[in-house]
Amino acid sequence: MTEQVKYAIQDDYPNDFSHCYGCGRLNEHGYHFRTGWVGEKTITIYTPKPEHTAIPGFVYGGLIASLIDCHGTGSASLALHRKNGHEPGNSKEAPRFVTASLNVDFMKPTPQDIPLKAIGTPEEVHPKKFRIHTEVYAGDTVCAIATVTAAVMPKTFIQQKDC
Amino acid sequence: MTEQVKYAIQDDYPNDFSHCYGCGRLNEHGYHFRTGWVGEKTITIYTPKPEHTAIPGFVYGGLIASLIDCHGTGSASLALHRKNGHEPGNSKEAPRFVTASLNVDFMKPTPQDIPLKAIGTPEEVHPKKFRIHTEVYAGDTVCAIATVTAAVMPKTFIQQKDC
């Protein structure tokens, strides 16, 4: 299986939308999740830090949910970008999605000290909305199964200051 | 509405189960979420740090999911502890739960620079399993609606090193 993501969609997000704590390349404190294609599947790889524990030896569920969240929006962006004739790395700005819903079933305790791989299958449910079916692997074992529904970021998003 | 949680269930988790990145009082890098009762509701309050952005001015969904996750397990612990005749702060060790599933609907962009309040309603669905219905408020506005299903941490959890 792929061990690193060479061309990530997050590298092609506009600068103004690259400050996400999960996947923003310009957020110096964040996780820097990076999502790319492997054939028709999407992949995000991340090795949790020692402090990302639930109990010692096992990964914090909130970190896994965060990985799934950005993997979902990244996968949706990849899917729409490809539909528009583009691939990450070809210097075209990629569309930015927001998460409408996040559903995670935690199947097994997730061990520390191993790269986690989120593998996604994007499904178009509307021209501006994708559903991403994701499995999170630790080694060969599926530790979480998830669905993210992501929508193209509305232009009104950044004006909605009242919540 | 309550502005701080005086007696938090996380203060009564056993030391071995207090290293969670979200809510462990012994995790020096973590968020230190704290969950208590307000009548029959549960509450967790957290003000995101400046780096916890989705885009500048708005809170990262993964941070909100993390808040909901630990609020869910904390609320389940509160509910079972109360059922067993105990309240947080009375020096009895509290039961530790794990998250079985996490479902979040993001209703509105969540503004930075304001305390977030997760308000929960615990529902017993099995003697060792609770469903927590949660609304996350920024000011008076509900920004996320969520359901967490949490189960008492199985004794086998810490032996499952194969995933």
Side-chain angles (χ1 to χ4, degrees), chain B residues 39-52:
Chain B
E40 301 297 313
K41 303 282 189 183
T42 59
I43 187 167
T44 309
I45 305 170
Y46 184 76
T47 302
K49 295 179 180 171
E51 63 263 33
H52 293 146

Side-chain angles (χ1 to χ4, degrees), chain B residues 18-83:
Chain B
S18 294
H19 297 273
C20 174
Y21 187 72
C23 65
R25 66 182 183 277
L26 302 179
N27 188 321
E28 63 183 271
H29 300 285
Y31 301 133
H32 297 168
F33 298 136
R34 299 174 73 254
T35 309
W37 285 115
V38 179
E40 301 297 313
K41 303 282 189 183
T42 59
I43 187 167
T44 309
I45 305 170
Y46 184 76
T47 302
K49 295 179 180 171
E51 63 263 33
H52 293 146
T53 50
I55 63 170
F58 297 98
V59 178
Y60 173 47
L63 187 278
I64 296 169
S66 297
L67 170 64
I68 291 165
D69 184 7
C70 291
H71 172 75
T73 51
S75 297
S77 182
L78 281 165
L80 181 55
H81 211 39
R82 178 170 280 183
K83 186 181 166 192

Side-chain angles (χ1 to χ4, degrees), chain A residues 19 21 53 102 104 109 111 143 163, chain B residues 19 21 51 53 102 104 109 143 163:
Chain A
H19 296 271
Y21 187 72
T53 50
L102 168 69
V104 184
C143 295
C163 177
Chain B
H19 297 273
Y21 187 72
E51 63 263 33
T53 50
L102 168 71
V104 185
C143 295
C163 174

Side-chain angles (χ1 to χ4, degrees), chain A residues 16-17 19-23 27 29 31 33 51-58 60-63 65-67 69-70 96 99-111 138 141-143 153 157-163, chain B residues 16-17 19-23 27 29 31 33 51-58 60-63 65-67 69-70 96 99-111 138 141-143 153 157-163:
Chain A
D16 285 351
F17 300 144
H19 296 271
C20 174
Y21 187 72
C23 65
N27 188 321
H29 300 284
Y31 301 133
F33 298 137
E51 62 264 32
H52 293 147
T53 50
I55 62 171
F58 298 99
Y60 173 47
L63 187 279
S66 297
L67 170 64
D69 184 7
C70 290
R96 191 70 168 87
T99 306
S101 69
L102 168 69
N103 300 312
V104 184
D105 290 326
F106 294 97
M107 309 304 290
K108 295 200 174 190
T110 303
T141 306
V142 176
C143 295
M153 186 180 286
F157 191 98
I158 58 175
Q159 280 116 41
Q160 289 192 38
K161 294 282 186 190
D162 57 338
C163 177
Chain B
D16 286 351
F17 300 144
H19 297 273
C20 174
Y21 187 72
C23 65
N27 188 321
H29 300 285
Y31 301 133
F33 298 136
E51 63 263 33
H52 293 146
T53 50
I55 63 170
F58 297 98
Y60 173 47
L63 187 278
S66 297
L67 170 64
D69 184 7
C70 291
R96 190 71 168 88
T99 306
S101 69
L102 168 71
N103 299 313
V104 185
D105 290 327
F106 295 97
M107 309 304 290
K108 294 200 175 189
T110 303
T141 306
V142 176
C143 295
M153 186 181 285
F157 191 97
I158 58 175
Q159 280 116 41
Q160 289 192 38
K161 293 281 186 189
D162 59 337
C163 174

